[in-house]
Every structure is written in structure tokens, then in C-alpha cells.
Amino acid sequence: GAVVSQHPSWVICKSGTSVKIECRSLDFQATTMFWYRQFPKQSLMLMATSNEGSKATYEQGVEKDKFLINHASLTLSTLTVTSAHPEDSSFYICSAIDRNQPQHFGDGTRLSIL
Amino acid sequence: AQSVTQLGSHVSVSEGALVLLRCNYSSSVPPYLFWYVQYPNQGLQLLLKYTSAATLVKGINGFEAEFKKSETSFHLTKPSAHMSDAAEYFCAVSRTGTASKLTFGTGTRLQVTL
């Protein structure tokens, strides 16, 4: 079946650095990818919708300059957390759409900012 | 706008007992409804989806859900719980189809005891 790979699965970095998370669709072309954020014991909050070749659409309250999304190809979208601070620590999950099928989710990236 | 409400953030059942996880939706248009399961430190896996076809939807791992418009509900059930069912379960709604963005409920943690 369809597989979405997310990398890295876990990252720790110092405050002020930038972190890039990759989301790849391994066996299908994903015209649309989504980025979610999940706090401990809470639900997933949609951050942005990423369409190949165009600018991402951010949800209300999400800082587009803070969370840079690039969807350069039909199989890759990246989320860069710029100048990360401890409050950005969270579990980030991407998903991708294969034509008219439900979203396929990656295994998530746990980001810890010290 | 659409939303889902999951009643009970934590449900505990004995192995072999019936599993019932509750989800009520609110939508101004006929909804597309989903149940996802999340194991610790992983992404989400689709259990089943409702797309206005049969009201009783069968999913993977023995789970099923029934769409009841009169009750605006989409409860998830499994006749006999297994230890491996212990996980977080999310109900989600989409307004425009299986391939569009999702709004998630707050999740229900299922505990299965011996």
C-alpha cells in the first residue's frame, strides 16, 4: 500500500537553530500534503496545506515565516522550523494524498528544542 | 464549519469485551467521516471511512462504525477487544471529500486490561 516516509523521526537541537523535516511519498505522487502539529495527549492541529509547485496555505494562527513549507516535487514536501525555541517542541506529522484516496500519514517527527 | 466531538478521553475495557468509542459530528453538509488509530510515537493509520454509501462501515482489525444521521453520530465498535487494540483513536471529519483536509476530534485513549 501507499507509504509516507517522514525524516527525521526524532531531533534535538539548540534554541535559535533551524530544523528541516522531510515528508516523502514513496510509491505515489502526492499533489497535496498536509502538515500537522500534535501536543502531548492532544489531537492533531492542521498547520498548513502544501500543494506541489505553489505556495502553502496556512491555517489561521500559524506563522508562515516561522514554519516554512516547500513542496518542490510530487513526492517531497519539507517543513522548516526557523529560529526554533522551546515552545516549538512538539510532534509534527505529515500526510499525503494519493489521488482521491484518504490521507496517508507519516510516522511523525518528535522535535525537542533545548 | 465542521467538527467532531469524542466523548470520553479515556476508555478502559477488558480483553474480549466490547469496544465502543463515541464520536458525534457537526457539519452543514453531508460529511465524510473517518476513524484513525495512533500507536505511541507513530503517525495515524486509517481504520475506516464513511463516504455516504453504506451506513455501516467495516474497517480493518475487526472494527466497524455506523453512521446515524438522526443522532449525528459515527461511533466505533469492535465486538471483542484485544490487547493490541490499546492505542489512541481519533475521529475526523472532512467537508468536501476523502482527499481534503481533516478536522480531528480530541482523541480517545483505549486501554485493554487482562
Side-chain angles (χ1 to χ4, degrees), chain B residues 20-109:
Chain B
L20 171 61
L21 304 182
R22 300 177 185 274
C23 174
N24 288 87
Y25 70 89
S26 174
S27 179
S28 57
V29 297
Y32 294 81
L33 293 161
F34 308 81
W35 275 100
Y36 285 88
V37 60
Q38 183 181 34
Y39 296 99
N41 296 311
Q42 293 187 25
L44 276 67
Q45 180 182 9
L46 179 67
L47 285 175
L48 49 81
K49 63 181 187 290
Y50 168 76
T51 58
S52 75
T55 57
L56 181 62
V57 181
K58 293 186 183 298
I60 63 172
N61 302 338
F63 284 94
E64 62 181 38
E66 186 172 8
F67 175 75
K68 292 186 176 180
K69 185 177 179 180
S70 61
E71 299 178 7
T72 62
S73 69
F74 189 58
H75 301 331
L76 181 71
T77 60
K78 181 174 180 177
S80 177
H82 191 272
M83 296 296 289
S84 61
D85 295 327
E88 189 85 19
Y89 291 80
F90 292 97
C91 181
V93 63
S94 168
R95 195 169 74 98
T96 56
T98 58
S100 56
K101 66 180 184 180
L102 298 169
T103 300
F104 286 90
T106 51
T108 298
R109 180 165 299 275

Side-chain angles (χ1 to χ4, degrees), chain A residues 76-113:
Chain A
L76 174 65
S77 176
T78 60
L79 167 68
T80 301
V81 183
T82 62
S83 186
H85 289 92
E87 59 266 28
D88 298 323
S89 298
S90 191
F91 193 55
Y92 293 87
I93 304 175
C94 72
S95 69
I97 289 176
D98 177 10
R99 288 169 289 182
N100 199 32
Q101 297 300 312
Q103 296 176 34
H104 301 284
F105 286 82
D107 279 342
T109 296
R110 185 160 302 284
L111 175 62
S112 297
I113 310 297

Side-chain angles (χ1 to χ4, degrees), chain A residues 2-78:
Chain A
V3 177
V4 173
S5 173
Q6 197 170 333
H7 179 79
S9 58
W10 183 45
V11 58
I12 301 175
C13 62
K14 294 181 179 180
S15 183
T17 60
S18 293
V19 179
K20 180 183 285 188
I21 302 170
E22 293 186 347
C23 180
R24 294 181 184 273
S25 56
L26 296 184
D27 56 357
F28 65 97
Q29 293 185 326
T31 54
T32 301
M33 291 184 174
F34 299 92
W35 286 95
Y36 296 85
R37 183 173 181 176
Q38 185 179 29
F39 291 102
K41 302 185 186 303
Q42 295 188 28
S43 188
L44 282 74
M45 299 299 295
L46 180 65
M47 299 175 66
T49 302
S50 168
N51 292 297
E52 187 267 337
S54 63
K55 291 184 178 180
T57 301
Y58 290 82
E59 295 298 303
Q60 190 173 7
V62 177
E63 300 176 61
K64 61 180 66 176
D65 295 330
K66 174 75 170 177
F67 299 99
L68 300 179
I69 292 173
N70 182 274
H71 195 156
S73 77
L74 286 172
T75 59
L76 174 65
S77 176
T78 60

